[in-house]
Amino acid sequence: MFLTRSRKGRWHRILFVVPLFLSGGAGAANLEVSAERRDVAAQVAQGDTRPIEISPQPLSDALRALSRQTGLQFFADSDLTRGIAAPAVSGRMTADQALQRLLAGSGLTYRLNGSLVTLERATAEPESGPLRIGDITVTARRTEELVKDVPGSVFVLPSEELEKSNITDLEDFALRTPNLNIAESGSRTATVISIRGISDVTGARASGPTVGVYIDEVMLNPTGRNTAIDPNLFDLERAEVAYGPQGTAFGRGTIGGAINYVTKKPTENFEAELEGEVGSHPDGLVRGLVNGSLTGDRTLMARLVAFGRYDDGFIETPNLSGDSVDNQDYGARLSLRSQPTDRLTLDLAGSFDRTDFSGPNYATVDSVDGNGDFEFLINSDSDNRVDRGLVSFRGTYDFDVGSLISNTSYLDVRADLDQDFDFTELDLLFGTLKNEEQSISQEFRFEAEPFPLPLLGESSFLLGVNGTWAEEETESVLTVGEDGSLLGATPGDQNFIGPSTEEVFDAGVFGEFRFRPIEDLEVALGGRFSYIEVDVSEEGFDSVNETFTAFTPKASILYDWTDDFSTYALVSTGFKSGGFNQLGTGPLDGREFDNETAINYEGGFKSSWFDDRLFVNASGFALFYDDIQVASIPPGFPTGRIVQNAGSARSLGSELEVAALPLEGLQLNLAYGFTDAQFTDFEDASGGDATGEQLPNAPRHTLSAVGEYAHPVFDSFADAYVRAEYSYTSSFTSTPDVDAREFDSYDVFNFRVGLRADRFDIEAFVENAFNEKYATGATGGAFFAGFFNVAEPVEVGTGRRFGVRARVRF
């Protein structure tokens, strides 16, 4: 949740002269008043009444409905109505009366010229009204709606909060999000995500993900690989987490939940920004964007954002002359939008980014526990590159009865990695990996406008079909080093795996029906049938093929006790498709493992208090997890892992979110998550019986607290602010083994101070201010460390950094 108020505490009067037709009628270029519009204008002037039926919904959608029922045409910038909720309007009334009811409490007013309505911000003095908490739009149920209307736990950070907290990657986002934990290697190619204690611990081939990651509804991990799931987070409209199984809304691979990034879309108003940052590693960032209309109206608009950043690293490699592990990212995204008519919206976007890094953020356990700097003991340089490319096309056509949406995408991810594979100062093993992933997806869905049904009341539905084809090609070489004789191997020997290919075809039919038998009660029933075909082949082995199917239903109820307090309950299901162990390695050569499934029971409430100055959202859940895909060490293969279906597990817990504006200029946010996740039946775990053991990557407690105070300075020319951010993660393990290492709890403090003005921002910051040294997961190098009695490496979080950030708007 986030808080909004205008700078200096006042509404400013703004007239938007570029039209956004919110429903039927002529295009933006045709401004003549037709005979039909003159008739509408006459009806408005005469005060003619008519039946009006509009349900509670986002204001932009409510205005579309009013336009269809009255013939009024609306002029407004899309930013003017974004995030504003409209109340229900029902009965016989004039168009003018209906419009007044929709805008009540929104801070907006209007001017009427014939049938054309121009929306404006209302003018008020600073003392004229209370500070208010802004509503947030989300797409957790695949339709755009206000977060308070979603029967389920959803956490959202909108654009403003992402920028204020300088969130640029998944590691930053996780520190702000309850019950979300990641093991971040620093290379952005080996990130393991855990939501409510549910995470992928298999490293499996041809298996879907456990947490689905999406950008503009495009899945970034369709084969379960994590190479693309940590994109550079610039110029986002919002980042949201939908908790619990999302099998109905998103399909396979969303047992723990779904993370959805929504990028900003082009608008017709000219906008340009240039941002720079200099940090202490040393590191730096440059980002720029330009936005506007290419045709002078909404016929064609464009938004271009480009960035580049460099980080010299914070982990020393003493065996390599003390060089640090460095990282470079750069890329761009071009988005085009066309609204040739008020009913049709077309979006085309293409993005590319590249990451070059000399190694992952691994450090020895000794250096994590000690008082000195982080150290990573390797004996050879690494040269790694990851390229990510994405093209997507979305078309939306608004009929009178609903909207038809088409989404098409193409994703290409390529990784060339080479590294010291044994993670020690010994010259044992050196590996190279080439990996390429491609996927093509297509989805059609129809979102119906509310309509009345006998006995069921106001009803609506969502119906869709989708198909995704994904292919992954992998080729790897493992070379024995000079010290390989210690392993009984001959130096210079190579183990070549590949080229191998996996193909996954995923097709699904999904839908949800919502109805209100009484005005304050919403009941929703939904489900998805999924068909998945997996084909794996490897040079020198026979290919294997298998199909997996699943039906994932969902049901929820939401009751509005008042306009400011609602409760909900839901049951949701999800699954992760089965797959195959890597061919040619271990005793399960070519053998498959089955789907894993989950069912989630959840209840909670959403509320606002004190004239929307306090927001409280709470949920409790009980999730039951069966046939869990777990990687374990097979007998006789101490350095390898195979995937098997374990028995079962359960996860119990809650999320709490509080946002408050206690006084002018002071903003407070708190988010807390509790998870008690453990195996309930896993007798054949590595090291013995793991029944009753904590699930990996499942800290019991996660906490985030943010406070900011801003005050006008220099005769209200700018706002000066001070901001403090705190996050806490309790202890956890990173593997399902009985003897798995437990990582200590950690907390991170960030502090920021600066100025915000209409045309510029400038900030000084310190992140991880007290230089907390913490591990986020295991590297897989524990076997070599124990065997040769050398320092064990682990993944670690970013060390302390401080610097200056500035942004100029044109």
Side-chain angles (χ1 to χ4, degrees), residues 345-587:
T345 300
L346 303 174
D347 287 295
L348 176 65
S351 63
F352 170 81
D353 70 87
R354 169 171 290 174
T355 300
D356 289 306
F357 57 100
S358 61
N361 282 351
Y362 294 161
T364 64
V365 170
D366 293 343
S367 68
V368 175
D369 295 337
N371 296 321
D373 295 330
F374 283 125
E375 289 187 349
F376 181 29
L377 301 179
I378 55 176
N379 62 284
S380 58
D381 290 309
S382 297
D383 184 15
N384 307 276
R385 172 173 293 178
V386 179
D387 293 332
R388 308 175 187 90
L390 174 63
V391 178
S392 62
F393 175 76
R394 175 187 170 108
T396 302
Y397 192 85
D398 295 325
F399 297 92
D400 289 342
V401 294
S403 299
L404 178 64
I405 300 168
S406 171
N407 279 318
T408 309
S409 67
Y410 172 74
L411 174 68
D412 184 90
V413 182
R414 303 179 184 222
D416 289 291
L417 311 175
D418 63 348
Q419 63 182 20
D420 186 336
F421 188 77
D422 54 88
F423 310 132
T424 74
E425 62 267 44
L426 300 174
D427 186 14
L428 295 173
L429 297 170
F430 189 86
T432 63
L433 171 68
K434 295 183 182 296
N435 176 262
E436 180 176 356
E437 301 171 66
Q438 299 179 73
S439 66
I440 299 173
S441 65
Q442 174 63 58
E443 178 180 281
F444 296 99
R445 71 177 185 268
F446 183 78
E447 301 173 4
E449 288 290 330
F451 56 92
L453 280 179
L455 301 179
L456 297 181
E458 183 182 79
S459 305
S460 64
F461 66 87
L462 166 72
L463 183 63
V465 296
N466 76 287
T468 300
W469 170 85
E471 180 184 71
E472 177 190 3
E473 295 182 355
T474 303
E475 184 177 306
S476 64
V477 178
L478 193 64
T479 303
V480 179
E482 293 298 325
D483 296 324
S485 56
L486 298 175
L487 295 172
T490 303
D493 280 356
Q494 291 188 331
N495 180 20
F496 179 79
I497 301 177
S500 62
T501 303
E502 67 176 16
E503 294 186 22
V504 179
F505 175 70
D506 177 9
V509 179
F510 61 96
E512 184 174 64
F513 180 66
R514 306 170 192 170
F515 57 95
R516 287 183 173 268
I518 59 176
E519 182 179 355
D520 295 324
L521 175 66
E522 180 199 82
V523 180
L525 302 172
R528 177 190 290 256
F529 175 78
S530 299
Y531 170 90
I532 300 95
E533 183 174 344
V534 178
D535 191 298
V536 179
S537 62
E538 184 176 313
E539 191 175 83
F541 298 92
D542 294 333
S543 62
V544 288
N545 176 278
E546 187 57 78
T547 59
F548 304 91
T549 60
F551 177 68
T552 47
K554 177 182 178 182
S556 66
I557 58 173
L558 174 74
Y559 190 80
D560 298 318
W561 298 91
T562 70
D563 290 341
D564 299 321
F565 185 85
S566 63
T567 56
Y568 72 88
L570 71 86
V571 180
S572 61
T573 58
F575 82 106
K576 176 180 175 181
S577 58
F580 298 94
N581 282 282
Q582 184 167 322
L583 303 179
T585 58

Side-chain angles (χ1 to χ4, degrees), residues 589-648:
D589 178 15
R591 192 173 301 179
E592 71 183 67
F593 46 89
D594 294 329
N595 292 346
E596 60 182 21
T597 60
I599 183 169
N600 177 60
Y601 302 94
E602 183 177 323
F605 69 84
K606 301 184 179 185
S607 63
S608 60
W609 309 83
F610 308 113
D611 293 325
D612 289 344
R613 296 179 62 162
L614 174 66
F615 169 89
V616 182
N617 177 20
S619 64
F621 64 88
L623 186 150
F624 299 93
Y625 194 18
D626 288 314
D627 296 323
I628 307 168
Q629 297 169 10
V630 177
S632 59
I633 300 174
F637 291 85
T639 63
R641 284 182 176 266
I642 59 172
V643 179
Q644 60 181 336
N645 290 96
S648 59

Side-chain angles (χ1 to χ4, degrees), residues 121-261:
R121 294 196 188 277
T123 302
E125 294 304 316
E127 299 78 18
S128 63
L131 304 176
R132 301 175 68 86
I133 295 177
D135 290 305
I136 303 179
T137 301
V138 298
T139 51
R141 293 197 290 180
R142 302 302 302 276
T143 59
E144 190 170 281
E145 55 190 331
L146 298 175
V147 68
K148 69 183 184 66
D149 296 329
V150 178
S153 184
V154 182
F155 181 80
V156 187
L157 286 181
S159 173
E160 184 181 34
E161 278 298 296
L162 293 170
E163 293 174 358
K164 285 181 177 180
S165 291
N166 197 21
I167 292 174
T168 59
D169 59 22
L170 185 56
E171 180 182 8
D172 299 332
F173 181 56
L175 290 176
R176 285 290 308 271
T177 308
N179 279 340
L180 171 63
N181 185 59
I182 65 167
E184 171 66 81
S185 71
S187 68
R188 307 165 70 91
T189 63
T191 302
V192 176
I193 305 175
S194 170
I195 296 181
R196 290 181 170 176
I198 309 302
S199 66
D200 178 15
V201 291
T202 66
R205 156 175 303 202
S207 179
T210 304
V211 174
V213 182
Y214 300 80
I215 185 165
D216 292 333
E217 300 188 349
V218 179
M219 194 177 201
L220 300 180
N221 50 347
T223 65
R225 283 282 184 176
N226 50 20
T227 310
I229 64 175
D230 191 5
N232 293 280
L233 302 182
F234 291 109
D235 203 41
L236 292 186
E237 183 69 32
R238 63 183 180 272
E240 58 190 44
V241 176
Y243 291 90
Q246 304 293 320
T248 296
F250 291 97
R252 71 186 182 99
T254 53
I255 282 187
I259 298 175
N260 189 30
Y261 303 122

Side-chain angles (χ1 to χ4, degrees), residues 15-59:
L15 173 63
F16 293 87
V17 296
V18 180
L20 166 60
F21 288 114
L22 296 172
S23 182
N30 182 8
L31 301 182
E32 297 91 27
V33 179
S34 64
E36 179 184 355
R37 292 184 183 177
R38 287 195 297 270
D39 183 56
V40 172
Q43 294 174 15
V44 173
Q46 294 168 9
D48 291 352
T49 62
R50 63 180 64 202
I52 303 292
E53 291 291 336
I54 300 174
S55 62
Q57 56 191 296
L59 179 59

